[in-house]
Amino acid sequence: MGLKTVLIDAWSRLNFKPVYSDHLGMPNRRAFPEAYASWVPAADERRLAAYKLFTAYDSNQAAELAEIQAGVAERDRREYGDPSMFVDTLVAHVMGRGQTITVPGAEHATSDDTDGGQAAAERVQDLLRDWAETELLPMRMKQAERKAVSLGDAVYRLAWDPAKQRVTLRVSDPGFYFPVIGEDDDGGEYPQRIHFAWELPEDQQRNLPARLRRITYELDWIRPATASGVDRNSRPVRATVMTEPADGEPPVPALGKGDTADPDTGAISRIYPWSDKPSYRTCYLTDATWELGDIRAPADVDSLPLDKATFATRSDGEVLDHLDLLIDFIPVIHVPNTVPPAEEHWGQSSLAAVLQVFDELQGTDTDSARASATTGSPIIGLAGKNITGSGQHAVAPGMVFTLGENGRMDTLNTAPQLQELRHQRHDLSERAATVVRLPAVSLGTMDPSKVPSGYALALSLGPLDSLMDDMRIARDHKNTLLLKFVQRLHLAGQHPDWAGVTPLPAKLVYGPYTPTDRDAVLKQVTTGVEKGVLSLETGVRMLTEAGFPIDDMEKEIEQIQSRAFAQARDLADALGNPDEVADFLGRKAPEEPPVPPVQLPPQPGVQPQQDPQGQGPAGRPEGSGGNT
């Protein structure tokens, strides 16, 4: 009957765009050919098209997509980078002024740590911070956050690099990310199989056809050991390792190092370095490439024929065909921009709610550009007898028109229309900021001198506070998971610095995102610590969050205590133990000189005699054989 299909999903806010939603609710095939590749699952077509549309707005190329369906006239639309400015502002706010890795208990590590828990926390914290500095974690997070804010999703991939001897962290485009979520699966749970797939263009110089590459991580039962080999077609594959045949018995599949098989069920288990309980699961890695001509429908990214695949070989010679990574988790982390709805997997782009406003802004900018042309070069009408020349005249500075009897010159003034367009643009910008929950002060468009008070400024930042709370809630668990995976991969790689380390919960703390009154914070901390209602650790943390240049909280606390001589004097009076006082100051207690022996004055009639113990003279009465 020609009825339009109305689709409501995570990307239905884009349905107002004709290029994204046709009469069946599906994206235009000419505008989004990548979404309709034969290997792309039908459930991912709208997602991939949405990513491309968001990227076009972020790159000032929305008019190019609209041109495909609406015609060449759409290319005249002006795009001045408003979406990109919104994205950059949100990324800066959500990341804050710096990020700090903290492990609970590490801030209070002291010499009286009897069970070693505080020292272990401090060691893990130092190792994670060293890794973050070497792996450029802030830059990786910046890359991921820009993907998450603009597209709605970001993806981290972790791997152990034997050459670098550390865990590497990479950010992948969510358009390459294909988690396998079944009909009965909860989208909010961690998927058991994840694909990364993308097409490789034809390379005529190397005589390579168009290909599809797919990297797969899969959690499955532990199988017997495998080794690299080749099949009958000389294709690199992995084959099961068989044991040496015993007398009269056939060979059986060999177990991996440290694996144990249950004699009753045959299930294989192993104990990982981060757990003392046996696990029956492991993660397998496959890196395969297909020629696009070998892929026939209805095969999609999850059901590609492995018999036509070419498997990659790692730098150490291992064929990546179901390679056992010796870990019981998938080292991939999906970061949604917003908290997904219940049982859903995908986040929402921060641009989705205001795309229509951005379209109106583009239209207003286009009209303003046209109006400014007539305002700067106005249209002039001449009337009267004996006008020099006829038809149209090019007006230039210094030009003189000779007008005859009753001559008149009229100018078309479009300045009022231009002024109205400027007001319209200002209203639309405020509307977009209101919808996104970005106050004018956070965008830098408010004059600071017009803020009546700090309290008024704090109230105006209320929408931004709620927005940042929501966005950081969506990231807190993912960042904790990231640091947990980093610890486990270092243990799996047997890095010497991580020997004997037990993974501990670690958090990634974001810095402040709003302007703070440092003088007020400093006064609060000083008073609180002095009066004893705040600990020194809490006070230093408050100063760090307020933006004070404190690189390391532990070292800052040590430096403060090393100069707290008045408190050290009170500690000495209370405990009378110079060792604890020296430890408080971070110094070594001085060695006390030996106490000199007591010299008693000689008594009449008693001859001083050297004590046989060497402890001083002893009196002996004259003429007696015993000691007095």
Side-chain angles (χ1 to χ4, degrees):
M1 297 177 61
L3 297 178
K4 178 178 177 62
T5 302
V6 179
L7 297 179
I8 300 179
D9 55 13
W11 306 277
S12 57
R13 290 184 176 183
L14 309 181
N15 287 349
F16 77 98
K17 302 288 291 184
V19 72
Y20 183 78
S21 181
D22 59 13
H23 67 284
L24 295 177
M26 298 306 296
N28 187 289
R29 288 181 175 270
R30 293 177 55 233
F32 308 100
E34 306 87 354
Y36 290 99
S38 61
W39 54 272
V40 174
D44 292 294
E45 292 174 355
R46 284 173 55 84
R47 176 173 69 92
L48 299 186
Y51 289 160
K52 185 174 182 179
L53 184 59
F54 288 134
T55 304
Y57 272 89
D58 190 19
S59 306
N60 289 355
Q61 293 178 287
E64 293 186 36
L65 283 180
E67 177 194 2
I68 296 176
Q69 189 173 46
V72 183
E74 291 294 324
R75 293 298 296 270
D76 294 335
R77 295 176 69 90
R78 303 301 177 96
E79 300 181 70
Y80 293 149
D82 293 277
S84 179
M85 182 268 294
F86 271 67
V87 171
D88 290 337
T89 303
L90 284 171
V91 170
H93 285 323
V94 76
M95 292 193 65
R97 301 190 191 98
Q99 302 79 39
T100 306
I101 297 176
T102 61
V103 177
E107 299 175 2
H108 307 282
T110 58
S111 60
D112 59 350
D113 183 14
T114 57
D115 59 354
Q118 296 174 352
E122 186 178 22
R123 181 184 179 188
V124 171
Q125 180 174 273
D126 292 340
L127 289 172
L128 286 174
R129 289 181 176 181
D130 292 342
W131 169 82
E133 182 178 358
T134 305
E135 193 56 23
L136 307 177
L137 180 61
M139 185 188 72
R140 306 296 182 195
M141 293 183 62
K142 187 88 170 183
Q143 295 172 343
E145 289 298 341
R146 214 179 189 292
K147 294 284 186 184
V149 172
S150 60
L151 304 182
D153 303 284
V155 181
Y156 288 117
R157 291 173 55 192
L158 298 101
W160 171 255
D161 191 326
K164 297 180 179 180
Q165 281 295 295
R166 72 170 186 268
V167 176
T168 57
L169 178 67
R170 296 296 178 265
V171 177
S172 296
D173 191 289
F176 302 153
Y177 171 69
F178 296 90
V180 179
I181 302 175
E183 295 180 354
D184 299 329
D185 296 339
D186 185 351
E189 295 295 331
Y190 206 91
Q192 301 295 303
R193 186 163 65 253
I194 292 175
H195 303 294
F196 289 90
W198 63 94
E199 290 188 8
L200 301 173
E202 180 182 2
D203 189 346
Q204 296 182 355
Q205 294 183 352
R206 295 192 296 169
N207 195 25
L208 294 175
R211 293 150 292 151
L212 171 66
R213 185 178 178 185
R214 188 191 75 180
I215 298 176
T216 301
Y217 296 88
E218 181 178 11
L219 281 178
D220 204 350
W221 303 110
I222 299 176
R223 307 190 190 104
T226 60
S228 301
V230 295
D231 62 4
R232 297 176 181 177
N233 299 322
S234 299
R235 185 182 60 154
V237 293
R238 298 195 69 82
T240 303
V241 177
M242 307 300 290
T243 60
E244 292 292 337
D247 296 338
E249 296 183 1
V252 296
L255 299 180
K257 184 178 180 181
D259 293 352
T260 305
D262 190 307
D264 298 328
T265 63
I268 303 175
S269 64
R270 68 169 65 118
I271 296 179
Y272 292 100
W274 47 86
S275 176
D276 55 356
K277 296 181 180 179
S279 174
Y280 295 89
R281 307 274 282 180
T282 189
C283 180
Y284 294 98
L285 172 64
T286 302
D287 187 349
T289 304
W290 290 262
E291 293 185 9
L292 289 181
D294 293 337
I295 302 176
R296 296 287 184 268
D300 61 14
V301 70
D302 190 45
S303 58
L304 296 174
L306 291 179
D307 58 331
K308 296 184 178 181
T310 301
F311 299 103
T313 302
R314 205 166 60 180
S315 58
D316 57 358
E318 293 287 352
V319 177
L320 302 182
D321 171 20
H322 293 85
L323 174 67
D324 190 348
L325 296 181
L326 304 177
I327 55 178
D328 60 350
F329 59 92
I330 296 179
V332 175
I333 300 175
H334 166 244
V335 183
N337 181 49
T338 58
V339 177
E343 301 181 355
E344 295 294 333
H345 187 77
W346 307 104
Q348 287 275 356
S349 169
S350 296
L351 300 179
V354 288
L355 282 190
Q356 293 192 52
V357 184
F358 287 142
D359 282 350
E360 295 291 335
L361 278 171
Q362 292 175 13
T364 303
D365 290 336
T366 303
D367 295 340
S368 299
R370 294 169 180 169
S372 63
T374 58
T375 302
S377 300
I379 301 174
I380 301 175
L382 301 177
K385 294 182 179 180
N386 301 324
I387 298 178
T388 304
S390 61
Q392 296 183 354
H393 301 269
V395 180
M399 176 174 267
V400 177
F401 290 97
T402 302
L403 304 180
E405 184 179 355
N406 299 323
R408 188 177 76 253
M409 177 181 292
D410 297 322
T411 304
L412 179 62
N413 183 14
T414 59
Q417 289 81 0
L418 180 59
Q419 185 68 20
E420 286 299 322
L421 289 172
R422 293 178 61 185
H423 291 323
Q424 171 73 356
R425 193 190 193 288
H426 182 267
D427 293 343
L428 289 173
S429 298
E430 286 191 348
R431 184 67 173 271
T434 302
V435 173
V436 180
R437 290 187 285 175
L438 281 178
V441 63
S442 65
L443 291 172
T445 57
M446 176 182 287
D447 186 356
S449 62
K450 295 183 179 179
V451 179
S453 64
Y455 182 71
L457 176 63
L459 288 179
S460 66
L461 290 172
L464 180 63
D465 293 338
S466 63
L467 173 64
M468 290 299 105
D469 288 342
D470 292 343
M471 297 181 69
R472 290 186 174 184
I473 285 176
R475 291 156 172 77
D476 284 343
H477 170 67
K478 304 296 182 177
N479 292 334
T480 302
L481 198 62
L482 169 66
L483 298 178
K484 182 189 350 184
F485 285 178
V486 169
Q487 297 179 66
R488 290 186 174 186
L489 286 173
H490 274 105
L491 293 176
Q494 299 181 356
H495 192 283
D497 292 344
W498 289 76
V501 171
T502 300
L504 297 174
K507 293 188 65 176
L508 188 64
V509 180
Y510 293 101
Y513 56 87
T514 56
T516 55
D517 189 348
R518 294 189 179 184
D519 292 337
V521 175
L522 180 59
K523 184 177 180 180
Q524 291 176 357
V525 171
T526 304
T527 305
V529 174
E530 181 180 354
K531 300 299 183 181
V533 297
L534 286 178
S535 66
L536 182 59
E537 291 79 7
T538 302
V540 173
R541 186 184 299 110
M542 291 174 60
L543 295 178
T544 304
E545 294 176 352
F548 283 83
I550 299 176
D551 296 330
D552 192 307
M553 292 180 55
E554 291 76 20
K555 291 183 179 180
E556 190 72 17
I557 293 172
E558 292 176 359
Q559 292 176 359
I560 294 174
Q561 290 182 343
S562 66
R563 299 172 177 85
F565 300 112
Q567 297 180 13
R569 189 181 303 110
D570 295 339
L571 184 64
D573 294 340
L575 301 180
N577 189 338
D579 293 331
E580 291 199 23
V581 176
D583 182 69
F584 174 80
L585 295 173
R587 304 185 181 189
K588 183 178 180 181
E591 296 182 359
E592 297 184 1
V595 180
V598 178
Q599 298 288 342
L600 299 177
Q603 298 180 4
V606 178
Q607 293 291 339
Q609 181 178 358
Q610 185 67 27
D611 185 45
Q613 301 293 332
Q615 297 178 355
R620 182 185 300 271
E622 293 182 2
S624 69
N627 294 332
T628 59

